[in-house]
Amino acid sequence: MTGTAGCGTGLGADAKVPTVEVSRQASFTRRVTAEGYLEAVEATPVTAPVDSEMAMKIAWIAEDGASIEAGEVVVRFDPEEMQRQLQDSQGDLASALLSMQKERDAGRSAGSKRDQSAAQAQREIEAATAFEPEDNGVLSRNELLDSQIDIELAEAKSKHAHAVKRVERSVSNSRVELLEISRRQAQNEVQRAQEALAHLEVEAPHAGIWVLERDWQGQTRGLGDTVWPGQKLAELPLVANMQAALFVLEADAGDLEPGLKAELVIEAHPDTTYKATVARVDALAQPRHAEVPVQYFGVTLEFEATDAQTMKVGQRVRATIFIEQQDVLVVPRQAVFEREGHFFVHRAVGPTSGSSFEEAEVELGPSSAGRVVITKGLEDHDRIALRDPNKRADELIGERDADSPGAAPE
């Protein structure tokens, strides 16, 4: 209900100030618009072969949006790098086997030499023992000592030969074990290269529309790109059930939640409007482009029914989401003023509910094109001014004319 009220002596500048009575509304609907694209609810991912276990370079890939039959080859990989890897690995394997054989031969040769040294020392012990003098009274003391020293020296040589043989055998076995590790590594590399060469082609698991995977910059994989085992390359959507992926500005997504109603228009068919419902809202806002800091929430819409004849994967869409709030105070937008970051309205006071006005600071909620929700600062049935009561109507008209294009300077 709108009327006029006189101003108090301290605030009023005009005898007639239009006012409006604030009242709660049973329903306040706000519209949020967003853009996005159509996608399939379910899709079969196509990945690089997991069994290859090595990076692969794309030599050919089916064109984005192509119609694919079941079993059709959709990706081919360049075998050059894998063949080079196979040759290098086979060379490493042969080298490891040769080194192992060489180390075993060297160990056997060293063991044979130590056995010969031990046998020679044993013969020296036997000879010294056989010719050891029995009569100590015949030979001099020095000759007796020399004979004893020869026996002890031969025994020490024999012990040393056996000890060195054990040490050298242990070292040789350790070297062979290290070479065995290198051999197994080379064998694994050969096996990986052979498996990669056996998976140079990827076939479509079923018929469908070929949709290439896009990175965060919107780029798809192409010729010469390197991919890793299990990396997603594309997908084959099941187009019988479609949904819409939207990007909603962070500032507009505060009240979005699953279950809200929406309407959607496909840009290629602007005359048809489709009913939809919010199915999911992302928990974190992200930028759509790395160089643009604007944040968006991802929102998914599900349709009441999929129009298979019209809806295609990747089509651009424009949607309107309806956010409805119950039992809220709503005022005209022009009745709210701002000063130094604070919002206020001119509330009528006095026995006649409009004889004078006072500034009442308010907190704002959601808004539409011409109305705004007041969450704090006003009560039901308060009356507020629709314009600044401290200025005359002709002053407001003058300010409006001055703000308009082509107005003369004051």
Side-chain angles (χ1 to χ4, degrees), residues 22 331-332 335-337 343-348 357-362 364 374 377-378 383-385 389:
V22 179
V331 302
V336 180
F337 302 87
F343 296 95
F344 63 93
V345 298
H346 295 284
R347 180 170 53 193
F357 296 90
E358 64 177 2
E359 293 184 359
E361 186 172 347
V362 294
L364 306 184
I374 302 297
L378 288 179
R383 183 170 292 277
I384 61 174

Side-chain angles (χ1 to χ4, degrees), residues 402 406-410:
E410 184 176 344

Side-chain angles (χ1 to χ4, degrees), residues 99-144:
S99 298
M100 290 175 64
Q101 184 62 39
K102 182 178 179 181
E103 184 60 37
R104 290 191 182 100
D105 293 341
R108 286 193 292 267
S109 177
S112 177
K113 290 180 180 179
R114 298 306 174 189
D115 289 339
Q116 294 175 3
S117 298
Q120 178 64 28
Q122 186 62 34
R123 289 193 293 269
E124 292 177 358
I125 294 173
E126 293 174 355
T129 303
F131 294 100
E132 184 179 7
E134 299 178 357
D135 188 0
N136 294 336
V138 177
L139 300 177
S140 65
R141 179 176 178 80
N142 289 339
E143 290 175 334
L144 294 174

Side-chain angles (χ1 to χ4, degrees), residues 116-389:
Q116 294 175 3
S117 298
Q120 178 64 28
Q122 186 62 34
R123 289 193 293 269
E124 292 177 358
I125 294 173
E126 293 174 355
T129 303
F131 294 100
E132 184 179 7
E134 299 178 357
D135 188 0
N136 294 336
V138 177
L139 300 177
S140 65
R141 179 176 178 80
N142 289 339
E143 290 175 334
L144 294 174
L145 291 175
D146 288 342
S147 178
Q148 185 65 31
I149 291 173
D150 290 341
I151 294 174
E152 293 176 355
L153 179 60
E155 291 176 348
K157 288 181 179 179
S158 178
K159 292 180 180 180
H160 179 266
H162 288 296
V164 171
K165 180 181 178 180
R166 289 193 298 271
V167 172
E168 289 181 342
R169 183 187 297 117
S170 177
V171 172
S172 178
N173 291 338
S174 298
R175 290 175 178 172
V176 171
E177 290 176 357
L178 291 175
L179 292 172
E180 174 64 19
I181 294 175
S182 299
R183 185 200 67 79
R184 289 198 298 266
Q185 289 178 342
Q187 182 64 44
N188 291 337
E189 293 296 328
V190 170
Q191 184 176 356
R192 288 177 57 191
Q194 290 174 342
E195 291 177 350
L197 288 171
H199 297 85
L200 290 177
E201 294 183 348
V202 178
E203 298 179 353
H206 58 79
I209 303 299
W210 180 252
V211 180
L212 292 176
E213 180 72 5
R214 286 166 170 76
D215 58 16
W216 62 275
Q217 292 181 325
Q219 302 297 322
T220 60
R221 298 291 176 184
L223 303 183
D225 289 343
T226 299
V227 297
W228 296 92
Q231 182 173 349
K232 186 177 179 181
L233 303 176
E235 62 182 18
L236 291 170
L238 303 177
V239 296
N241 193 8
M242 303 285 287
Q243 64 185 12
L246 304 179
F247 301 96
V248 179
L249 283 170
E250 183 179 17
D252 296 335
D255 298 319
L256 291 182
E257 59 183 13
L260 294 177
K261 300 299 181 181
E263 292 181 352
L264 181 141
V265 174
I266 302 174
E267 290 188 353
H269 304 277
D271 297 333
T272 304
T273 301
Y274 298 93
K275 302 294 184 180
T277 305
V278 176
R280 184 176 65 254
V281 180
D282 289 351
L284 180 65
Q286 297 179 348
R288 293 182 62 182
H289 306 284
E291 63 276 7
V292 180
V294 180
Q295 302 281 332
Y296 294 85
F297 276 93
V299 177
T300 302
L301 299 184
E302 60 182 7
F303 297 103
E304 296 179 354
T306 297
D307 185 357
Q309 299 298 325
T310 303
M311 297 181 178
K312 307 298 180 183
V313 175
Q315 285 180 317
R316 295 185 60 85
V317 298
R318 289 178 284 107
T320 301
I321 303 174
F322 302 98
I323 302 176
E324 184 174 321
Q325 292 181 309
Q326 305 292 333
D327 192 24
V328 291
L329 288 175
V330 180
V331 302
R333 181 181 290 272
Q334 71 268 22
V336 180
F337 302 87
E338 180 184 5
R339 182 189 303 119
E340 298 179 353
H342 297 278
F343 296 95
F344 63 93
V345 298
H346 295 284
R347 180 170 53 193
V349 295
T352 59
S353 300
S355 58
S356 62
F357 296 90
E358 64 177 2
E359 293 184 359
E361 186 172 347
V362 294
E363 293 183 5
L364 306 184
S367 62
S368 63
R371 299 181 300 167
V372 60
V373 173
I374 302 297
T375 60
K376 186 177 180 181
L378 288 179
E379 298 292 340
D380 197 10
H381 303 301
D382 282 347
R383 183 170 292 277
I384 61 174
L386 290 177
R387 64 172 178 83
D388 190 349

